[in-house]
Amino acid sequence: MRLSIDKLSLSRALAHVASVVERRNTIPILSNVLLSIGNNELTLTATDLDMEIVETVPATAKGEGATTVPAHMLHDIVRKLPEGSDIALQRDGAEGRLTVTSGPAQFSLQTLPADDFPALSVEDLGHAFTLPAADLKRLIDKTRFAISTEETRYYLNGIYLHAAESGGKPVLRAVATDGHRLAQAELPLPKGAKDMPGVIVPRKTVLELARLVEDADGDVRIELSQSKIRVTTARVVLTSKLIDGTFPDYQRVIPQGNDKRMEVDNTAFAQAVDRVSTLSSDKGRAVKLTISDGKLTLSVNNPDSGSATEELTVDYGFDPLEIGFNARYLLDISGQLESGTAEFQLADPGSPTMVRDVKDASALYVLMPMRV
């Protein structure tokens, strides 16, 4: 088993697959990447038993075969080799080692048998549809910041992907919430997704998908069952278990009667929040919004460090209102709005507030207030 491959192709593929591999493993084979050679292609496979990534790259190969080597070690070696270099991989079956050669540099890595490498069971997942990689990237980018990291509420540790209706039209909707904020994004329902089950895609899988679609062109194919998801791009196949749980009825927390609307320049608002929150306490990070006719005052009062205020001109013609929010949550939402204007739909200081991009009806954000 011998092959030659350029550094860029191998490094990029290893970056994808090695990110799945946990750095500390009680099962040695799970620290390894499976390298398979055939038809002048190198196929790399990595798994943590919950998720599997398989990536295929062109290579010049002699013979066929497979072996496994430490994923992060191989990635570090390839990453440190000179740019533009060619890399040769050769397996010595008798010694049980893989030799990595590039110019004058040579490394000999211990291997484990390919037959011992575990594989996620492959079955017909039942539901399949295709959508542009850019659309999948958008759904992920618009919602992933709101995924909960609280392990006790495991059913919130991912993005809820499901078919829904919006304005009387079928949509594919992604929702994430951590109980303090909610992010929702949608796009027209792809053909074949009508009867798909609602699934919760785990946080780690979401992060890996974000990396994959960052580099992907064209369409991606998504296959689903109640327990697994498979996403296929031109050269990468990601298969993952799903979170076995019930996502809460998120529509109950989306306010319907918020009758006070404020429009504000999104860039100016984010910059002002960032400035005044410099004085907020690390624990609370609360910023008070005082809204009156045509004016918004952002303020922070921290007994330990001082106070800060900043005024902005806004479009608002309702009763005066004071409401507090976590500054980081405000900045996270502002970062998702693509047009220049943010619309806040408010009710009272104790009720959820909805934030939207005035030029993008396909995404919305809900933010719980704080006491200030």
Side-chain angles (χ1 to χ4, degrees):
M1 168 182 160
R2 178 182 175 86
L3 70 82
S4 177
I5 189 171
D6 66 278
K7 176 195 168 171
L8 181 62
S9 297
L10 183 56
S11 180
R12 185 177 295 166
L14 282 168
H16 285 157
V17 299
S19 60
V20 176
V21 179
E22 300 291 345
R23 288 194 174 269
R24 294 185 179 182
N25 267 305
T26 55
I27 305 173
I29 195 75
L30 293 182
S31 296
N32 284 17
V33 57
L34 173 64
L35 305 176
S36 306
I37 297 173
N39 298 321
N40 278 331
E41 288 183 329
L42 171 65
T43 300
L44 304 92
T45 306
T47 184
D48 63 1
L49 298 183
D50 289 323
M51 176 170 46
E52 176 187 85
I53 288 187
V54 181
E55 180 156 358
T56 304
V57 290
T60 303
K62 291 184 179 179
E64 297 182 349
T67 190
T68 79
V69 294
H72 291 294
M73 188 177 294
L74 180 60
H75 184 214
D76 286 344
I77 289 170
V78 172
R79 184 172 52 84
K80 293 175 181 179
L81 292 173
E83 297 299 325
S85 58
D86 288 327
I87 299 169
L89 304 179
Q90 183 169 2
R91 186 187 64 174
D92 185 333
E95 293 290 330
R97 290 184 174 271
L98 181 76
T99 302
V100 182
T101 306
S102 180
Q106 187 175 92
F107 306 85
S108 182
L109 302 181
Q110 190 66 46
T111 66
L112 290 173
D115 291 343
D116 294 345
F117 195 82
L120 246 60
S121 60
V122 178
E123 72 268 7
D124 181 10
L125 298 183
H127 303 271
F129 56 92
T130 300
L131 75 165
D135 285 354
L136 179 58
K137 180 179 186 302
R138 181 180 176 279
L139 286 180
I140 293 171
D141 288 347
K142 293 285 185 185
T143 55
R144 63 175 174 165
F145 71 91
I147 294 174
S148 175
T149 56
E150 187 181 329
E151 296 301 331
T152 54
R153 295 200 288 176
Y154 65 94
Y155 48 85
L156 298 182
N157 295 161
I159 290 178
Y160 181 46
L161 192 66
H162 60 296
E165 274 202 7
S166 180
K169 296 181 179 179
V171 295
L172 178 64
R173 180 177 291 165
V175 180
T177 181
D178 59 7
H180 304 289
R181 59 210 169 142
L182 178 145
Q184 173 185 303
E186 59 195 27
L187 50 82
L189 190 69
K191 185 179 179 181
K194 180 180 178 182
D195 298 320
M196 66 173 278
V199 298
I200 308 172
V201 185
R203 179 174 58 249
K204 183 176 178 181
T205 305
V206 168
L207 297 178
E208 294 306 324
L209 282 174
R211 292 190 184 100
L212 293 183
V213 296
E214 192 75 44
D215 300 329
D217 294 321
D219 292 342
V220 296
R221 177 178 170 83
I222 297 179
E223 298 167 83
L224 288 167
S225 69
Q226 291 283 1
S227 61
K228 287 182 184 170
I229 183 172
R230 182 183 297 128
V231 180
T232 305
T233 69
R235 291 200 168 273
V236 183
V237 180
L238 182 151
T239 307
S240 173
K241 294 179 182 178
L242 298 166
I243 292 176
D244 182 13
T246 302
F247 201 79
D249 184 5
Y250 65 91
Q251 298 198 43
R252 292 176 58 186
V253 303
I254 298 177
Q256 303 297 325
N258 287 14
D259 56 353
K260 300 179 178 67
R261 282 173 167 73
M262 177 187 75
E263 291 189 4
V264 59
D265 181 278
N266 186 49
T267 302
F269 176 75
Q271 291 172 348
V273 170
D274 194 26
R275 281 191 287 267
V276 299
S277 66
T278 306
L279 269 67
S280 64
S281 67
D282 290 337
K283 183 178 180 181
R285 299 218 61 191
V287 173
K288 182 166 75 172
L289 278 60
T290 303
I291 316 167
S292 57
D293 192 15
K295 185 174 73 172
L296 166 65
T297 303
L298 299 101
S299 59
V300 167
N301 187 15
N302 185 348
D304 297 326
S305 57
S307 61
T309 63
E310 184 163 343
E311 287 188 3
L312 295 173
T313 300
V314 297
D315 184 356
Y316 182 82
F318 302 88
D319 293 338
L321 178 66
E322 288 188 354
I323 189 168
F325 296 109
N326 181 297
R328 182 168 64 85
Y329 295 170
L330 286 173
L331 292 173
D332 284 344
I333 291 173
S334 289
Q336 302 305 317
L337 307 184
E338 297 174 11
S339 80
T341 305
E343 180 186 72
F344 286 71
Q345 298 177 14
L346 308 115
D348 56 67
S351 299
T353 291
M354 188 156 68
V355 185
R356 305 193 79 143
D357 188 326
V358 295
K359 292 186 178 178
D360 181 9
S362 66
L364 66 84
Y365 306 93
V366 179
L367 192 53
M368 297 299 294
M370 295 178 68
R371 288 186 178 180
V372 287

